[in-house]
């Protein structure tokens, strides 16, 4: 019934985006062999689904879950230390490419939440934090997956922005 929401009502769009993120997370989990990583990805799949109806109902994700996500992202950042100096091409093994797509969708979720706020609606700060954290988590996961697959990162230097 929500698919016919008015253009300015972004709630269904957010739900569709997080549904796709959860689905891609499940797909990524299906491609990894490490049982601990598979379990973590399935936990994230569930977490994303808990984020899904927040704009329409209420936030049910907890600070403890956010802290768990922070720790997971920090773990991956440490494991990928030195693999990325600034920007890298979004390439590599298929699992890393899936993680990069999820990274982008995390950013899309953040952008959509800000658009919803700019229209005068309330968004729990924790929800914005979670979307940002998911983007970072999946970036570091992509680096780790490429590392495990023996794939080097390819540096990218923009012609438009200089460092």
């Amino acid at each position: 019934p929500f698919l016919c929401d008015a253009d300015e009502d972004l709630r269904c769009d957010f739900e569709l985006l997080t549904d796709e993120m959860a689905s891609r997370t499940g797909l990524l989990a299906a491609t990894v062999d490490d049982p601990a990583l598979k379990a973590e990805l399935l936990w994230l799949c569930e977490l994303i689904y808990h984020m899904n109806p927040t704009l329409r109902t209420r936030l049910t994700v907890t600070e403890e879950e956010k802290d768990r996500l922070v720790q997971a992202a920090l773990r991956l950042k440490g494991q990928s230390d030195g693999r990325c100096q600034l920007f890298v091409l979004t390439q590599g093994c298929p699992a890393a490419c899936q993680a990069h797509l999820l990274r982008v969708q995390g950013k899309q979720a953040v952008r959509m939440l800000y658009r919803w706020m700019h229209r005068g609606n309330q968004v729990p700060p924790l929800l914005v934090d979670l979307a940002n954290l998911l983007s970072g988590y999946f970036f570091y996961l992509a680096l780790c997956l490429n590392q495990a697959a023996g794939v080097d990162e390819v540096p990218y230097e923009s012609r438009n922005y200089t460092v």
Side-chain angles (χ1 to χ4, degrees), residues 1-22 48 51-56 105 108-113 115-116 119 121 127:
F2 302 125
L3 293 175
C4 62
D5 286 352
D7 287 348
E8 62 276 358
D9 187 344
L10 299 176
R11 292 176 297 179
C12 184
D13 300 275
F14 182 77
E15 292 160 358
L16 290 170
L17 177 60
T18 52
D19 188 8
E20 184 177 354
M21 285 183 74
I48 293 165
M51 293 167 57
N52 177 285
T54 299
L55 298 183
R56 194 175 301 280
Q105 288 187 308
Q108 289 174 331
V110 171
R111 178 67 182 136
M112 192 172 294
L113 291 171
R115 287 175 50 216
W116 187 241
R119 293 178 181 181
N121 300 290
L127 187 61

Side-chain angles (χ1 to χ4, degrees), residues 3-139:
L3 293 175
C4 62
D5 286 352
D7 287 348
E8 62 276 358
D9 187 344
L10 299 176
R11 292 176 297 179
C12 184
D13 300 275
F14 182 77
E15 292 160 358
L16 290 170
L17 177 60
T18 52
D19 188 8
E20 184 177 354
M21 285 183 74
S23 298
R24 283 185 186 272
T25 303
L27 176 62
L28 181 55
T31 68
V32 300
D33 294 324
D34 180 306
L37 180 55
K38 186 181 291 280
E40 184 170 87
L41 288 169
L42 293 177
W43 171 74
L44 284 174
C45 183
E46 185 176 343
L47 182 76
I48 293 165
Y49 271 133
H50 286 307
M51 293 167 57
N52 177 285
T54 299
L55 298 183
R56 194 175 301 280
T57 59
R58 68 189 190 291
L59 180 67
T60 59
V61 178
T62 66
E63 284 288 338
E64 291 77 18
E65 289 169 312
K66 178 186 115 177
D67 293 343
R68 181 177 171 187
L69 180 54
V70 167
Q71 291 308 309
L74 289 173
R75 183 192 79 246
L76 293 172
K77 182 179 181 182
Q79 290 173 359
S80 65
D81 190 37
R83 295 220 20 111
C84 174
Q85 298 309 313
L86 285 178
F87 295 101
V88 295
L89 291 181
T90 54
Q91 57 80 53
C93 69
C97 292
Q98 280 287 346
H100 276 300
L101 289 170
L102 283 157
R103 171 190 58 80
V104 173
Q105 288 187 308
K107 289 181 178 185
Q108 289 174 331
V110 171
R111 178 67 182 136
M112 192 172 294
L113 291 171
Y114 278 115
R115 287 175 50 216
W116 187 241
M117 283 188 275
H118 290 307
R119 293 178 181 181
N121 300 290
Q122 295 294 314
V123 174
L126 178 57
L127 187 61
V128 178
D129 290 347
L130 288 166
N132 268 315
L133 283 166
L134 285 168
S135 182
Y137 171 90
F138 285 116
F139 174 72

Side-chain angles (χ1 to χ4, degrees), residues 79-81 83 93 142-153:
Q79 290 173 359
S80 65
D81 190 37
R83 295 220 20 111
C93 69
L143 297 179
C144 289
L145 291 168
N146 273 341
Q147 184 175 23
V151 177
D152 290 330
E153 299 302 331

